[in-house]
Amino acid sequence: SKHCVNLDSTTANVTVKPFELDMGFQFELHVTVSGKKINISEIPELSLPEDWMRDKLELHFYKTEQAEGGGEIENVTYNKGSGTAVITFLKPG
């Protein structure tokens, strides 16, 4: 757990210690699917910035075409006030 790190002309002795990240959230989404869009409702209000939530929704629903469902995403519209989002895919499927 102890390491010696060379930084330019200086040597630093460091110790590695475990830590926990409190970033995990688990929640249930209600989804309505059409050919090209997914309407999501009942997204719980979390203490995340809106752009982070859009990114998380995009990552969750993006899948390769070989996987069941998903695909390349064209747009994510998220409304924090109503707890809803619309995911628009590039291709219907």
Side-chain angles (χ1 to χ4, degrees), residues 2 4-5 13 18-19 28-31 34 41-42 44-45 49 53 60 63 70 76 78-79 84:
K2 293 184 179 184
C4 183
V5 179
N13 294 317
F19 64 95
E28 182 177 324
L29 300 174
H30 296 265
V31 176
S34 74
S41 60
E42 299 185 37
E45 188 170 332
M53 181 58 87
H60 180 76
K63 294 181 182 177
V76 177
Y78 169 61
N79 185 318
T84 61

Side-chain angles (χ1 to χ4, degrees), residues 2-65:
K2 293 184 179 184
H3 299 275
C4 183
V5 179
N6 293 319
L7 304 169
D8 293 328
S9 61
T10 306
T11 301
N13 294 317
V14 295
T15 303
V16 178
K17 297 192 180 212
F19 64 95
E20 289 185 26
L21 294 175
D22 295 330
M23 292 290 291
F25 294 101
Q26 184 174 8
F27 52 89
E28 182 177 324
L29 300 174
H30 296 265
V31 176
T32 304
V33 181
S34 74
K36 194 172 175 183
K37 292 184 179 186
I38 297 177
N39 296 319
I40 305 166
S41 60
E42 299 185 37
I43 300 172
E45 188 170 332
L46 302 173
S47 60
L48 293 175
E50 288 189 32
D51 57 337
W52 286 20
M53 181 58 87
R54 275 192 299 276
D55 290 346
K56 289 185 176 297
L57 288 166
E58 182 172 351
L59 288 171
H60 180 76
F61 286 98
Y62 176 84
K63 294 181 182 177
T64 62
E65 291 186 28

